[in-house]
Amino acid sequence: MDIKQLKALVTVAEAGSVTRAAELLHLVQPAVTRQIRTLEQELGVVLFERTRQGMRPTEAGAVMVDRARRALTELERARAEVQPTPGVVTGVVTVGLLESTTDLLAEPLVSAIARDQPGIELRLMTAYSGYLQQWLDDGDLDLTLLYNLASGPSLNAHRLARERLWAVAPRDEALRAESPVAFGEVAAHPLVMPAAGHALRALIDSAAARAGAELNAVVQTNSMRVQKQLVLAGHGWTILPGVGIAEDVARGSLSAAPLCEPDVWRSIVLGTQRSGRTPPAVEVVARELSRQVHAAVRDGRWPSAEWQADGTAREDR
């Protein structure tokens, strides 16, 4: 098993075609086919099956693709670290962003790294907190934003900020930021809810129990974008962090107000892997992401958020 075979394996899986993979690898098609077959013979398993949609990894192939992709990423990182340009931080850093924060943080983070640390290659992934935590545990992320988590055996969690959850309704309901709405009033409406099992849903269910309210969930989804679309279409109200609906409220497509009775807050933390050595590039990106969160809170671009850093982030330059 060698690097060329691993690259061929991952590229065929991503391209869905041996022909396309050969083009991307600047090889002739028979060479790519030979590398895959040699790998299959060594492992004693079939790695791909041909379908109408192209080459699809078998169950064993999917395992190998996942492991090979991680191995290649680590090799890229090691090469960047052992062959540095003097005074320049280099490396590949994979960052997780909460889905609700992508519009606020993704572009400023990429711009800052491109400007100040051009030797760092950023890879961004977005999802709900539960998925991001799993990807961090699995080694697919170097650092990620999470919420309502403390440090544990597998990760370090550094507090950055906390923010209130908001009731979100169609525009005609005329909810206003300066007039918090009681949780019981929100519960009186049909609700478009985050799917059970998500941390945001657990936070909402806990608040409902404290308010003595029974929730009428007409639909559940694991997508914040779908939650907002369904509210916009008149299927009910929903509950989301303020950062996730700021632009919708500014455009006038939705109305929203902070929750009260009880207030509902979530803590935003920066999660990093606890085990192993932290590469310099990861430390640089962690500091920059912390600065971007701080700037968004300080400048009022993160609705009803409060800065709560516990020492991870430095003050803005």
Side-chain angles (χ1 to χ4, degrees):
M1 190 180 303
D2 59 32
I3 293 177
K4 292 181 180 179
Q5 292 171 343
L6 297 183
K7 286 184 176 178
L9 173 70
V10 172
T11 306
V12 170
E14 292 177 346
S17 161
V18 173
T19 301
R20 177 58 180 154
E23 294 174 357
L24 294 171
L25 293 168
H26 305 291
L27 297 172
V28 294
Q29 182 176 333
V32 176
T33 301
R34 183 167 58 252
Q35 288 168 346
I36 297 298
R37 287 179 177 171
T38 300
L39 194 54
E40 289 179 327
Q41 290 170 358
E42 180 178 341
L43 295 170
V45 295
V46 176
L47 297 174
F48 290 96
E49 58 182 357
R50 292 186 179 274
T51 70
R52 291 182 178 180
Q53 290 73 39
M55 297 285 283
R56 186 174 66 185
T58 61
E59 184 174 344
V63 171
M64 281 301 300
V65 168
D66 179 59
R67 300 298 184 183
R69 185 180 288 115
R70 295 184 193 178
L72 292 171
T73 297
E74 286 301 312
L75 288 172
E76 287 180 35
R77 177 173 293 155
R79 184 179 293 111
E81 288 183 33
V82 301
Q83 296 178 325
T85 301
V88 176
V89 178
T90 60
V92 179
V93 180
T94 306
V95 181
L97 294 178
L98 293 162
E99 184 183 5
S100 57
T101 68
T102 53
D103 289 344
L104 185 66
L105 298 176
E107 193 282 326
L109 176 64
V110 170
S111 293
I113 294 298
R115 180 190 66 235
D116 299 333
Q117 302 290 346
I120 294 177
E121 178 186 335
L122 277 184
R123 298 177 181 177
L124 301 183
M125 301 177 69
T126 67
Y128 278 116
S129 185
Y131 290 123
L132 294 173
Q133 182 184 357
Q134 183 62 56
W135 295 343
L136 184 67
D137 289 342
D138 290 344
D140 294 324
L141 295 176
D142 296 304
L143 65 146
T144 184
L145 292 183
L146 301 166
Y147 64 86
N148 288 11
L149 282 177
S151 295
S154 63
L155 66 87
N156 290 310
H158 303 280
R159 290 176 300 165
L160 296 181
R162 70 170 190 158
E163 64 171 334
R164 291 177 75 173
L165 295 190
W166 290 48
V168 183
R171 178 178 56 190
D172 293 345
E173 296 287 350
L175 299 183
R176 300 188 309 277
E178 62 274 16
S179 301
V181 59
F183 196 98
E185 180 181 343
V186 177
H189 295 269
L191 292 175
V192 178
M193 292 286 284
H198 286 293
L200 183 59
R201 176 62 182 271
L203 196 58
I204 294 169
D205 287 344
S206 174
R210 283 185 285 147
E214 187 170 335
L215 303 178
N216 175 22
V218 294
V219 65
Q220 301 181 44
T221 175
N222 66 349
S223 167
M224 185 183 71
R225 183 174 62 86
V226 173
Q227 281 179 257
K228 293 191 292 186
Q229 285 179 335
L230 293 177
V231 172
L232 188 62
H235 291 281
W237 291 23
T238 194
I239 297 172
L240 286 169
V243 68
I245 45 88
E247 290 191 4
D248 304 274
V249 172
R251 287 195 304 266
S253 57
L254 294 171
S255 66
L259 286 170
C260 66
E261 299 178 19
D263 295 352
V264 187
W265 295 82
R266 70 171 183 172
S267 296
I268 305 297
V269 304
L270 177 63
T272 55
Q273 295 177 0
R274 181 179 286 277
S275 61
R277 169 179 169 272
T278 302
V282 174
E283 294 179 348
V284 167
V285 175
R287 287 195 296 269
E288 185 57 49
L289 180 55
S290 297
R291 279 194 289 266
Q292 293 298 331
V293 172
H294 186 196
V297 173
R298 180 197 62 205
D299 299 343
R301 292 180 285 115
W302 194 315
S304 65
E306 298 177 356
W307 180 245
Q308 284 195 319
D310 58 6
T312 300
R314 299 185 310 197
E315 288 297 312
D316 289 355
R317 291 170 301 211

